[in-house]
Amino acid sequence: MMLKLNQNSIFYHCLLLSSSSVILQLLGFGYRILLGRLAGAQAIAVYGLVMSAYNVVLSCTLTGVALSVSRIASSYQALGEGRSIIRLIRTALFLFLGLFCLLAVPFAFCRDFFAQKVLGNPETSTALLLIVPCLFLTGFENVHKAFFYGTGQTFPPTVSETLEMLCRIVGAFCLFSVFAAKSSAPLTDGQAAALIVCGMIFSEIVSATFLTTLYRFRRKKLTGRDGVCLPQVLRDIASVAVPVSLSTLLGRLISSANMILIPRILMRAGSGYDAAMTEFGVLSGMTMPMLMLPSAFLSPLITVLSPRFSAGKVLEDQAMIRRKTGKALHVVGLIGIPSMVILILTGSQLGEVLYHNPTVGNHIPMLSLITLTGFYYAVLECVLESTGLQKRCSVLTVLASLAGLCCTLILGGAFSLGIWGFLCGELLSSLIGCSMTAIWVKKYTQISFRIGNWIGRPLFASVVSGAFARLLLKMMEDLPIFPGLRVVFVISVFFFLYTICLRLLGTDFWKYIEETLLTQAKKDRNFR
């Protein structure tokens, strides 16, 4: 029976976003491979330090404002105040510009201090200056992107994100090629990181222009009343943005401190500077992006459900919130668990194929557990934040991140365990966040956790399929087959066996999609 897609359904939007995310992940892999070839692991490590600072400044100026736009726009639309969204967008942009002038501009003048004293690497100075115009453009892009997500228009952001990644790839290739042609001396790690940021600026110009222009056309089609006054808009933004911004800022400060500490604890454990920066670059720029591949399917689910949870809170539809929470947690198990198992099996081979670096597969078992726990944590946190419990989540985020940082300092620094101290800290942070949010979600939504169905079946099917896939991989090692084709074949066999095992255990994946994710228009009309 052919599955008929309802363009108003959650499944349709998730399918659209997931398709885009898969494309983005593939482009992102190509981008990381390109950077690895053009810049090298040490330059990627410098770039990683720069992005740690960028994320902190981003959380101070934009994150809370953009998130509030998505949730409030959904609420206004559910209440019939569609025309008030225009005032919401205008106010959010003014708030962002004020915060940008207050915080980002002074940061640019003090970049040398941050490069030397905070990041501990003077080579980051030039790239730190360039992230300021990049942030300015990102602000306009993200506020307008939040408008589209909040009003249920998922197609424009997917086009924008794909276009942005393509521009990054083209920009990086052209910049490195031009520099190589005009300069006989090799690039320093700092110069390479600065060129990467220049490519980001080019991509942000294209993306921000596209979304801003499209918004000016789409806002004319908004329907409903225009009865929300400016003071109320400001109060609504503050109620979401302030706790989210504070928690995000503290969380990213701690997370950035954690990332900055990695090269230092590696050197304390006995590695030289070059070896420490290389391992940091491989971990942050190659291994972690590879592990985040399943987010191509899971992040769109969170993006689509977040405004619906907010609207359900406004309409006091507790049953809908409970039902969609169960669906989201089920999808995490069905997709996240097998993805982590196959990455554990083929991580080293994938690293060799994608990056020509077999060390990419190091630490994947531990990182897979951290990543999977993080997926559950993200979904549970989305439910709580979207239903008015932002402050509780904010405190938890800070405490969990702080616990992880302390673990890194103690195990990685004091006990000189090196990278293992960092990994243990990340696992501890994810476990604390996931367990506490699970307790709160169960309490406030009265949901019944179906552990056997959501975790037990996917885990058992993944382990059984993984055992066969591992045996197949061993048998094919000596065959004269291109490594990339061998890995693709083993992954395909694994997921085929996984689907069969699930069916035997009583879970039909495609039937589940049809019966639980495909939502009729009459059920979603209130969320459009």
Side-chain angles (χ1 to χ4, degrees):
M1 179 179 177
M2 184 176 295
L3 188 65
K4 186 178 180 180
L5 295 182
N6 185 336
Q7 294 188 6
N8 297 326
S9 68
I10 286 180
F11 173 68
Y12 173 79
H13 292 295
C14 287
L15 180 63
L16 179 61
L17 286 172
S18 295
S19 301
S20 172
S21 293
V22 171
I23 295 173
L24 283 174
Q25 288 287 353
L26 293 175
L27 290 174
F29 271 130
Y31 181 60
R32 292 289 180 177
I33 294 169
L34 182 67
L35 293 184
R37 305 276 179 87
L38 296 176
Q42 291 190 37
I44 293 177
V46 174
Y47 170 68
L49 293 175
V50 172
M51 292 309 294
S52 296
Y54 173 78
N55 287 331
V56 171
V57 181
L58 189 73
S59 65
C60 295
T61 57
L62 178 61
T63 302
V65 174
L67 185 61
S68 67
V69 168
S70 176
R71 294 179 182 173
I72 297 169
S74 176
S75 300
Y76 285 179
Q77 197 166 45
L79 294 172
E81 294 284 352
R83 297 296 298 175
S84 297
I85 296 175
I86 298 174
R87 185 176 295 108
L88 170 68
I89 300 298
R90 188 183 303 119
T91 305
L93 288 174
F94 276 113
L95 287 174
F96 162 70
L97 290 174
L99 291 170
F100 177 83
C101 295
L102 185 65
L103 300 171
V105 174
F107 172 82
F109 290 104
C110 302
R111 65 186 183 281
D112 290 330
F113 168 79
F114 284 101
Q116 297 177 16
K117 302 299 183 182
V118 179
L119 300 182
N121 193 319
E123 289 190 284
T124 59
S125 178
T126 303
L128 286 177
L129 176 61
L130 293 171
I131 67 172
V132 176
C134 184
L135 175 65
F136 176 80
L137 295 164
T138 302
F140 284 87
E141 176 205 358
N142 282 12
V143 169
H144 292 107
K145 186 186 296 182
F147 158 77
F148 288 111
Y149 281 135
T151 54
Q153 303 177 64
T154 54
F155 186 69
T158 59
V159 173
S160 171
E161 290 171 354
T162 305
L163 187 63
E164 180 180 339
M165 183 55 70
L166 286 171
C167 290
R168 282 196 186 191
I169 294 173
V170 173
F173 179 78
C174 292
L175 287 170
F176 277 94
S177 299
V178 170
F179 192 95
K182 291 188 175 182
S183 176
S184 57
L187 284 169
T188 65
D189 294 334
Q191 289 173 331
L195 287 182
I196 295 173
V197 178
C198 285
M200 289 176 58
I201 293 174
F202 170 64
S203 67
E204 292 294 342
I205 291 174
V206 175
S207 181
T209 302
F210 172 76
L211 288 175
T212 302
T213 303
L214 189 59
Y215 162 74
R216 293 185 177 278
F217 287 103
R218 294 291 179 89
R219 69 181 180 182
K220 300 176 183 178
K221 298 181 180 180
L222 289 172
T223 59
R225 300 183 300 272
D226 184 15
V228 183
C229 61
L230 179 59
Q232 183 61 47
V233 171
L234 289 170
R235 285 193 294 269
D236 290 340
I237 292 177
S239 67
V240 177
V242 172
V244 169
S245 295
L246 288 176
S247 67
T248 304
L249 173 59
L250 291 173
R252 284 181 174 172
L253 279 171
I254 296 170
S255 177
S256 297
N258 225 351
M259 296 299 288
I260 293 168
L261 282 172
I262 294 177
R264 301 182 186 186
I265 63 175
L266 287 172
M267 287 187 284
R268 184 180 179 86
S271 299
Y273 172 80
D274 290 341
M277 291 298 288
T278 298
E279 185 168 358
F280 173 54
V282 169
L283 181 70
S284 63
M286 300 178 184
T287 307
M288 288 183 175
M290 188 169 69
L291 284 164
M292 292 305 295
L293 179 61
S295 66
F297 303 95
L298 300 177
S299 293
L301 182 68
I302 296 174
T303 302
V304 170
L305 286 178
S306 180
R308 283 169 167 78
F309 285 138
S310 298
K313 174 68 175 178
V314 172
L315 299 173
E316 299 182 352
D317 191 348
Q318 194 75 0
M320 182 278 294
I321 295 174
R322 186 163 52 246
R323 184 177 63 253
K324 295 189 188 305
T325 299
K327 294 176 184 178
L329 292 172
H330 197 175
V331 171
V332 172
L334 289 174
I335 296 177
I337 293 175
S339 298
M340 293 302 104
V341 170
I342 195 62
L343 284 171
I344 291 173
L345 293 176
T346 63
S348 297
Q349 291 84 353
L350 280 173
E352 180 66 39
V353 170
L354 295 173
Y355 304 107
H356 295 309
N357 191 331
T359 63
V360 172
N362 295 347
H363 315 301
I364 275 190
M366 186 73 154
L367 284 168
S368 296
L369 182 58
I370 295 168
T371 304
L372 181 61
T373 308
F375 288 153
Y376 282 106
Y377 181 20
V379 170
L380 293 166
E381 187 178 42
C382 168
V383 176
L384 294 172
E385 287 185 344
S386 301
T387 52
L389 297 175
Q390 298 98 333
K391 294 180 181 179
R392 190 181 292 260
C393 291
S394 300
V395 174
L396 177 61
T397 298
V398 173
L399 292 178
S401 299
L402 189 59
L405 177 61
C406 292
C407 187
T408 300
L409 288 171
I410 294 171
L411 297 181
F415 289 93
S416 299
L417 293 181
I419 198 66
W420 285 105
F422 166 75
L423 295 176
C424 289
E426 289 294 291
L427 180 59
L428 176 63
S429 177
S430 296
L431 288 174
I432 292 174
C434 186
S435 59
M436 290 304 301
T437 49
I439 292 172
W440 293 337
V441 166
K442 183 174 179 61
K443 178 179 178 181
Y444 288 99
T445 66
Q446 300 299 313
I447 190 174
S448 296
F449 288 137
R450 302 171 62 189
I451 303 299
N453 192 33
W454 297 349
I455 298 178
R457 290 181 182 180
L459 181 60
F460 181 80
S462 298
V463 171
V464 172
S465 304
F468 281 99
R470 181 178 178 82
L471 179 62
L472 180 62
L473 191 62
K474 287 284 186 182
M475 294 172 58
M476 297 179 65
E477 279 183 352
D478 297 329
L479 296 179
I481 302 174
F482 179 67
L485 293 177
R486 181 166 60 235
V487 172
V488 170
F489 178 73
V490 170
I491 292 175
S492 301
V493 171
F494 169 85
F495 280 107
F496 174 76
L497 294 174
Y498 170 72
T499 305
I500 297 299
C501 287
L502 276 181
R503 183 69 178 269
L504 294 175
L505 291 171
T507 299
D508 188 326
F509 182 73
W510 296 110
K511 187 176 180 180
Y512 172 77
I513 288 178
E514 183 176 1
E515 293 183 351
T516 63
L517 287 183
L518 187 60
T519 308
Q520 299 300 322
K522 62 182 180 181
K523 294 181 180 180
D524 273 350
R525 191 174 296 128
N526 291 331
F527 302 104
R528 283 188 55 114

